Amino acid sequence: MGLAEDVRHLTDSEQLDRAVTALRSQLAEGNGEAAFILAYWRVEGISIRRDLDEATALFRRAVELGYEAARGPLAAMLAHGYGQSRRDWQGALQQLASYREPTATRHARLIDAMQLDPEGNPGRSFSPEILCRDPLVLVFREFLTRRECKSLVELASPALRRSQVVHPQTGQLVDDPIRNSSSAAFTLTEETPFLHAINRRIAAASRSRPEQGEPTQVLSYEAGQEYKLHHDALPGEQNQRIQTFLIYLNEDYEGGEIHFPTPNLRFRGNTGDALCFSNVSANMQPARNAAHAGLPVVAGRKIILSKWIRRSPLDLTGPAGLPY
Ligand SMILES: O=C(O)CCC(=O)C(=O)O
Ligand SMILES: [Fe+2]
């Protein structure tokens, strides 16, 4: 058994003390995989306390000890800096350049072509078309390049799963009754410099901060699949979902328009176009006119990026009361 399976078994059987002791002693002996596993545990905050600064330090230690696969999550943590004392965009780019892996090489080229400032922000401003004023719906044409769209689809495809929600009574994950599409959400360690650069572009266009964005999702709808009429804003939520940002990642399908029934607005973008709309009224409650649906796809497959933007930065402190 490898180290990962060894310690997985120990946590499963609630022998967490032994698992953490084993990992720490392996790390002290210079085992890069031990640093890598501990780093993930620090990010997840499931068995042990979440500490994103320490996670980044452990991913860095794993790289120093020759554990190359840690470069990907390290680059992600440095790029966004979420929940940490600092971010380090240039450090993230250095990790990407040193990582001899095909996706990393492709991403480095895509980032080069973006012409970003030294902090990873877009070097241009964004002027949308106003599609509707109530709710406010904006269109940003050619927001992403076709190559960027293709790379996002490649990144998300292996992770696409039937969309699920937490059942309000049982707490179990159940198939989402509102959408029968597939989706993939990028976690903190998956928000690599390429994805983070796109998230900064979304933040600039929506006049928000990247920290306000929920994890980026990619949604995929086959023929017959839809996202039924819904609000993105949540009733009674303190940190409300004030805006939604959608990017059309392909165009070779039929149907699948977004529909806002109250203003009776339908829209479908070309590959790379983005749609940004406001979800709340002045009192921060779901705005009646912002209800919308992703109409059924009739033929082919629709793939979009979707990001829900909160009023304030998300709390990333992680669950309380965990040991270590
Ligand atoms: O698929 C669509 O067009 C709508 C997606 C959507 O409503 C959402 O992601 O909140
Ligand atoms: Fe929505």
Side-chain angles (χ1 to χ4, degrees), residues 227 230 232 292 308:
Y227 200 155
H230 67 281
D232 292 340
H292 57 277
W308 290 317

Side-chain angles (χ1 to χ4, degrees), residues 179 181 217 219 221 226-228 230-232 241 244-246 248 253 256-259 267 275 277 279 292-295 302 304-308:
R179 51 174 168 163
S181 52
Q217 297 190 55
L219 314 183
Y221 304 77
E226 63 183 317
Y227 200 155
K228 292 185 184 147
H230 67 281
H231 284 274
D232 292 340
R241 286 177 176 158
T244 299
F245 205 96
L246 304 180
Y248 294 84
Y253 59 91
E257 298 94 341
I258 191 166
H259 182 217
F267 180 81
L275 191 74
F277 52 90
N279 289 311
H292 57 277
L295 296 179
K302 162 185 162 188
I304 60 169
L305 177 154
S306 168
K307 195 166 196 66
W308 290 317

Side-chain angles (χ1 to χ4, degrees), residues 56-91:
T56 302
L58 283 162
F59 281 127
R60 193 188 296 284
R61 186 79 192 114
V63 169
E64 286 163 5
L65 292 169
Y67 200 81
E68 279 296 298
R71 283 197 200 272
L74 175 58
M77 299 300 284
L78 293 172
H80 58 67
Y82 298 146
Q84 297 163 72
S85 43
R86 62 187 282 261
R87 61 182 285 265
D88 178 6
W89 176 250
Q90 293 304 322

